[in-house]
Amino acid sequence: MKTASALNTYLKETGGWVAAQLEACTRCGICAEACHFYQALGNPEYAPVWKLEPLRRAYEQRFTLAGKVKLALGMEKRLTDSDLEHWSQIVYEACTVCDKCAFVCPMGIEIGPLIHKVRTGLAAAGLVPGDLAEATDKQKTIGSPLGVTDEMWRERIDWITDEWEATIPVDKAGAETLMVFTSIELMKFPDNLALIAKILNKAGENWTVSSRGREVVNFGFFEADEELTKLFMHRVFQAAEELGVKRLVISECGHAYEAFRWTAPNIMKVPEGLEIIHITELIHQYWKTGRIKIKEGAFDGETITFHDSCKIQRLGGLIKQPREILQVLAPTSFKEMTPNKEQSMCCGGGGGVISIKEADSNRYKVFEMKLEQLQDIGAQAVCMVCSNCRLQFVDSLAHFNSAVKVHSLAELVARALI
Ligand code: SF4
Ligand code: SF4
């Protein structure tokens, strides 16, 4: 039954694009060395190309002569429920869908989006790891993967407003800009809301948050369940339409940025004329146009580096914006890790991995490589623009007893405002 649901989904998902991508693969294995899970754990099953195997088998065995012959001669088996259970561990617990593997593939195969399709089949078969499924369910029923109810959200916003003397407009009709935060920021890094509010207010922005569209994270997207992915984005789009805003600003979440910016226009109706940007772009625009001023050298002194988020920098291309700002804030002590920019290594916690307890050992093993990159340049602090990455850094640095400090870019900018 599980296998039938997964196979039906794979066959439905396999159009010309998927078939062409799968046919183009030469099984050269070059992608393996690009994957941080494969590098850190050495498990051959973590090679990106192997993660595509359920999709490939479904396609070949149904649509190609070679696949049918291999089946008939017993050279290849049909997928079973236990095979799919096994692949669930591989693609949810040892893949952050960071898409670095696609960068090295000589055939230009978009491995990340294909792994997303493998997840889609597993989600249809009910084979999403328990913790991830639970968080998704909370987002569906309560409105937040961390279980933040409407009432808790209100109380939290009020508390942040008092604690940091922040001005956070709620449900302001006629606002130009709708700012949508993550539950991670709300619950784990509440100062980030206050500091972003400070920047927006300083820039004179006519903005608001929404009690209806209050969650930017999308656990349906992590699972790869299209209906839930749409539902969670629909809540935000509906809020944007009701408030009549012209711009939607995605706070610090890489996957949310991908979902709203690139996935939404392909799978659902996006309110006409709505501009969708990441908070990094907005802060950079404010600074470039003189709407905010920041103190030069405010953080010079300790060696600070920047962690590139897979979906915001590698996919989204926002590579120069944070660096231009960091060059002002720390002109002599900003240092790059290696690799960096679009070649940067994922933190290991994205794609839903950090929410799965069983993936903790994988996650820490991968982070050891990031820690080495920090140590190689003597970093005392690291800055980033994704709260999911930030959670992984904070948790993993504590796990390894490291004293490296973790900051969001918005936090540094807010603290350096003139
Ligand atoms: S690098 Fe590309 S062509 Fe080579 S095995 Fe990986 S996906 Fe296939
Ligand atoms: S998307 Fe990232 S984590 Fe997943 S297989 Fe490719 S390199 Fe590895």
Side-chain angles (χ1 to χ4, degrees):
M1 184 61 191
K2 285 176 187 165
T3 313
S5 304
L7 283 178
N8 285 339
T9 307
Y10 291 144
L11 296 177
K12 199 174 98 213
E13 293 281 324
T14 304
W17 179 78
V18 170
Q21 294 273 303
L22 294 171
E23 287 289 350
C25 176
T26 58
R27 315 280 194 281
C28 67
I30 289 173
C31 49
E33 284 305 326
C35 178
H36 44 304
F37 286 97
Y38 177 83
Q39 282 178 49
L41 293 138
N43 182 343
E45 292 206 303
Y46 294 168
V49 65
W50 186 248
K51 288 169 181 159
L52 302 180
E53 190 65 5
L55 187 63
R56 184 197 66 79
R57 275 201 222 167
Y59 157 71
E60 280 194 1
Q61 292 175 4
R62 174 73 173 77
F63 296 117
T64 73
L65 182 61
K68 286 176 185 167
V69 170
K70 278 190 217 165
L71 252 187
L73 296 178
M75 292 161 67
E76 205 171 80
K77 291 186 186 144
R78 289 187 196 280
L79 287 166
T80 63
D81 283 1
S82 71
D83 288 337
L84 292 172
E85 276 160 25
H86 184 61
W87 257 287
S88 167
Q89 289 174 344
I90 296 174
V91 300
Y92 285 108
E93 296 175 23
C95 178
T96 46
V97 205
C98 73
D99 215 17
K100 180 156 183 195
C101 42
F103 257 69
V104 301
C105 173
M107 302 307 292
I109 295 169
E110 293 192 44
I111 307 169
L114 292 173
I115 292 175
H116 187 85
K117 291 200 181 293
V118 175
R119 284 187 173 194
T120 302
L122 295 170
L127 291 171
V128 175
D131 291 340
L132 188 55
E134 198 184 314
T136 310
D137 195 52
K138 278 188 197 153
Q139 182 162 9
K140 186 178 166 190
T141 54
I142 300 172
S144 148
L146 296 188
V148 179
T149 62
D150 288 339
E151 199 185 356
M152 282 164 70
W153 182 82
R154 269 279 177 190
E155 284 171 7
R156 198 81 179 158
I157 294 285
D158 288 347
W159 172 73
I160 292 167
T161 303
D162 289 348
E163 189 71 19
W164 283 277
E165 294 177 3
T167 304
I168 303 178
V170 178
D171 295 332
K172 182 180 167 192
E176 294 259 321
T177 296
L178 172 61
M179 181 77 228
V180 193
F181 292 97
T182 65
S183 283
I184 300 176
E185 290 165 289
L186 190 76
M187 301 309 286
K188 314 263 187 200
F189 308 119
D191 60 329
N192 219 50
L193 270 80
L195 294 166
I196 287 176
K198 190 175 170 189
I199 297 169
L200 295 172
N201 292 331
K202 190 82 178 175
E205 186 67 57
N206 179 11
W207 70 289
T208 188
V209 292
S210 159
S211 56
R212 183 177 191 131
R214 60 182 166 86
E215 179 58 80
V216 82
V217 169
N218 194 320
F219 267 67
F221 195 54
F222 286 146
E223 271 196 9
D225 179 314
E226 191 171 307
E227 287 314 307
L228 290 177
T229 302
K230 288 197 277 194
L231 171 70
F232 300 154
M233 288 197 284
H234 177 69
R235 290 173 180 165
V236 174
F237 286 144
Q238 215 177 2
E241 276 185 322
E242 280 171 12
L243 291 164
V245 297
K246 298 191 179 72
R247 175 159 62 183
L248 170 62
V249 180
I250 310 297
S251 190
E252 301 194 349
C253 179
H255 261 74
Y257 186 53
E258 177 180 12
F260 278 100
R261 194 74 192 264
W262 290 283
T263 306
N266 286 306
I267 63 171
M268 64 193 294
K269 189 177 174 303
V270 175
E272 218 178 306
L274 184 70
E275 184 191 9
I276 302 172
I277 63 170
H278 190 262
I279 185 66
T280 308
E281 290 169 281
L282 188 64
I283 291 174
H284 184 260
Q285 279 175 20
Y286 287 158
W287 169 68
K288 270 282 184 194
T289 55
R291 281 176 74 175
I292 58 168
K293 292 196 175 12
I294 48 177
K295 191 171 163 225
E296 223 169 289
F299 296 99
D300 240 350
E302 60 178 17
T303 303
I304 186 164
T305 189
F306 182 72
H307 164 70
D308 293 276
S309 302
C310 306
K311 304 297 184 182
I312 302 166
Q313 274 75 41
R314 185 178 9 262
L315 175 72
L318 303 183
I319 287 173
K320 75 171 179 45
Q321 291 85 342
R323 287 178 167 78
E324 283 183 7
I325 292 173
L326 283 167
Q327 294 290 358
V328 175
L329 295 176
T332 61
S333 60
F334 171 67
K335 259 192 184 173
E336 293 281 8
M337 276 183 280
T338 306
N340 56 48
K341 301 173 186 156
E342 62 278 342
Q343 296 292 344
S344 169
M345 191 192 91
C346 171
C347 67
V353 170
I354 200 166
S355 60
I356 305 168
K357 185 82 195 130
E358 289 78 8
D360 278 0
S361 57
N362 284 354
R363 186 165 65 78
Y364 290 136
K365 200 75 195 144
V366 161
F367 191 82
E368 269 185 81
M369 291 163 61
K370 191 53 91 174
L371 188 56
E372 272 172 32
Q373 292 170 18
L374 292 167
Q375 287 165 342
D376 284 349
I377 56 161
Q380 293 161 293
V382 55
C383 166
M384 59 205 68
V385 293
C386 171
S387 59
N388 199 66
C389 296
R390 192 174 170 192
L391 194 59
Q392 160 74 339
F393 269 79
V394 169
D395 177 69
S396 299
L397 287 168
H399 178 82
F400 290 110
N401 292 318
S402 165
V404 174
K405 287 179 246 159
V406 184
H407 303 287
S408 81
L409 184 71
E411 174 204 341
L412 296 184
V413 168
R415 282 168 50 199
L417 279 176
I418 296 170

